[in-house]
Amino acid sequence: TSFSSLCVDADLIPPFEVPERDYLTNALSRIASIDSRRWLQFLLNKLPFIANWKVTDFSDLEKRMIWMFYFTFYQTVVTDDLQNEATDSFSENDQKLLSAIHRLQELSKNTTVWEEMISVLKYNLNHITFVDDPVDVGFDCPLDLHCHYTRDQLKDYSPSTMYNDYSINETLFHWQSQSTTSATSPTGQRYTHHKEQGSKVLLFVREYGENEAGTAPFMYLGLAEFVQNEGSRPMNIIWRLEKPIPASMIQCTNKLVL
């Protein structure tokens, strides 16, 4: 529950409306996991002026940050497109973004929890204890190295069964594919020949599936390069990370030996 909800229960502040209260309260736990300086600074600079947001005011990178923020709240795609003469010149994606912005603007009218959310973002920014850097993936990407992201913020993540994944050292990572993936399959070949095919591998890991706030976020380990593979169905692949895992984080990525 949120601090604002506790204040309502204690009769310290007036109740705020449902379902807006539920949306905002449940989103606070996901917001509490945001630890990218770049994203936090963008949100703290722009959110106080959300009532005046216009799609045309934002770069492609900033639009991606807004989408991530939207999915943090709603965990779902936009369902109501706004189409009128004023938006006829917008692309389909920008029309959907405009709908997302309008929905967030409505949420911001719930000032009690909205202000609490801003406080959480400020706290997060002031308590980051690691260096987070942008990763060159070939386009303007808002994901920063060693930061944490939920599945909804990533959106394109495809869940798979993970059963033998662990860091070998600060730069090598052992990863096991789905049990049906063979080394000669198109998927297996995509893994082993990603450089020749011009694709990039981004590695996300998490120590546990859930934490005290619910579904645990993923740590972004950045770009990875194929080193070797053993076996088939599943494949056991060793990846070499472009940037080493910080010493303060490597314990979380090591395999637990009992």
Side-chain angles (χ1 to χ4, degrees):
T1 188
S2 70
F3 178 75
S4 299
S5 297
L6 293 175
C7 289
V8 170
D9 295 339
D11 295 325
L12 297 176
I13 61 173
F16 39 94
E17 296 179 2
V18 176
E20 301 307 319
R21 172 176 174 173
D22 293 338
Y23 279 131
L24 290 166
T25 300
N26 293 336
L28 283 173
S29 62
R30 297 186 291 275
I31 287 170
S33 70
I34 298 176
D35 54 4
S36 161
R37 285 183 179 85
R38 183 168 54 148
W39 189 20
L40 286 167
Q41 289 168 345
F42 169 77
L43 293 174
L44 289 171
N45 286 336
K46 299 297 185 181
L47 286 177
F49 310 102
I50 191 171
N52 300 318
W53 279 11
K54 297 178 181 178
V55 171
T56 53
D57 291 340
F58 299 104
S59 66
D60 288 343
L61 175 64
E62 291 171 334
K63 289 176 183 178
R64 293 185 178 105
M65 290 182 176
I66 294 172
W67 273 123
M68 289 167 61
F69 184 65
Y70 174 85
F71 287 124
T72 301
F73 271 109
Y74 288 106
Q75 303 179 289
T76 181
V77 297
V78 177
T79 57
D80 55 330
D81 293 343
L82 298 177
Q83 297 188 6
N84 52 48
E85 293 183 2
T87 63
D88 283 345
S89 61
F90 286 5
S91 67
E92 182 180 351
N93 286 339
D94 279 354
Q95 288 184 0
K96 290 182 179 296
L97 180 60
L98 181 60
S99 296
I101 288 175
H102 282 192
R103 194 172 185 187
L104 289 171
Q105 287 171 332
E106 288 301 309
L107 271 179
S108 70
K109 295 176 183 179
N110 190 321
T111 57
T112 300
V113 182
W114 190 261
E115 290 174 0
E116 180 180 348
M117 181 269 297
I118 296 290
S119 298
V120 172
L121 294 177
K122 290 179 179 178
Y123 179 89
N124 290 358
L125 181 60
N126 292 329
H127 289 80
I128 296 174
T129 58
F130 60 94
V131 177
D132 54 325
D133 293 317
V135 178
D136 183 7
V137 296
F139 65 94
D140 287 334
C141 179
L143 305 181
D144 291 325
L145 189 68
H146 301 142
C147 295
H148 291 79
Y149 300 95
T150 66
R151 184 181 301 176
D152 300 292
Q153 290 162 357
L154 299 172
K155 289 318 287 186
D156 288 334
Y157 167 81
S158 298
S160 61
T161 303
M162 297 174 289
Y163 25 134
N164 197 15
D165 304 340
Y166 56 91
S167 60
I168 299 171
N169 54 37
E170 68 275 8
T171 57
L172 295 179
F173 195 93
H174 179 280
W175 177 82
Q176 194 171 74
S177 72
Q178 290 181 311
S179 59
T180 56
T181 302
S182 69
T184 57
S185 68
T187 299
Q189 290 293 295
R190 189 172 71 246
Y191 294 147
T192 57
H193 298 287
H194 69 93
K195 289 187 68 176
E196 296 92 325
Q197 296 178 7
S199 63
K200 296 180 184 294
V201 175
L202 309 180
L203 191 60
F204 295 85
V205 299
R206 61 183 176 184
E207 189 175 9
Y208 304 106
E210 295 186 353
N211 58 21
E212 63 277 3
T215 303
F218 294 85
M219 182 196 301
Y220 180 32
L221 295 184
L223 288 165
E225 179 180 324
F226 175 81
V227 176
Q228 67 181 54
N229 168 63
E230 292 183 357
S232 185
R233 296 193 178 94
M235 300 172 65
N236 292 281
I237 296 178
I238 294 178
W239 303 100
R240 177 178 290 109
L241 297 170
E242 181 183 58
K243 298 289 182 65
I245 303 170
S248 60
M249 297 180 176
I250 198 166
Q251 184 176 0
C252 297
T253 62
N254 282 340
K255 182 178 180 180
L256 181 63
V257 179
L258 298 178

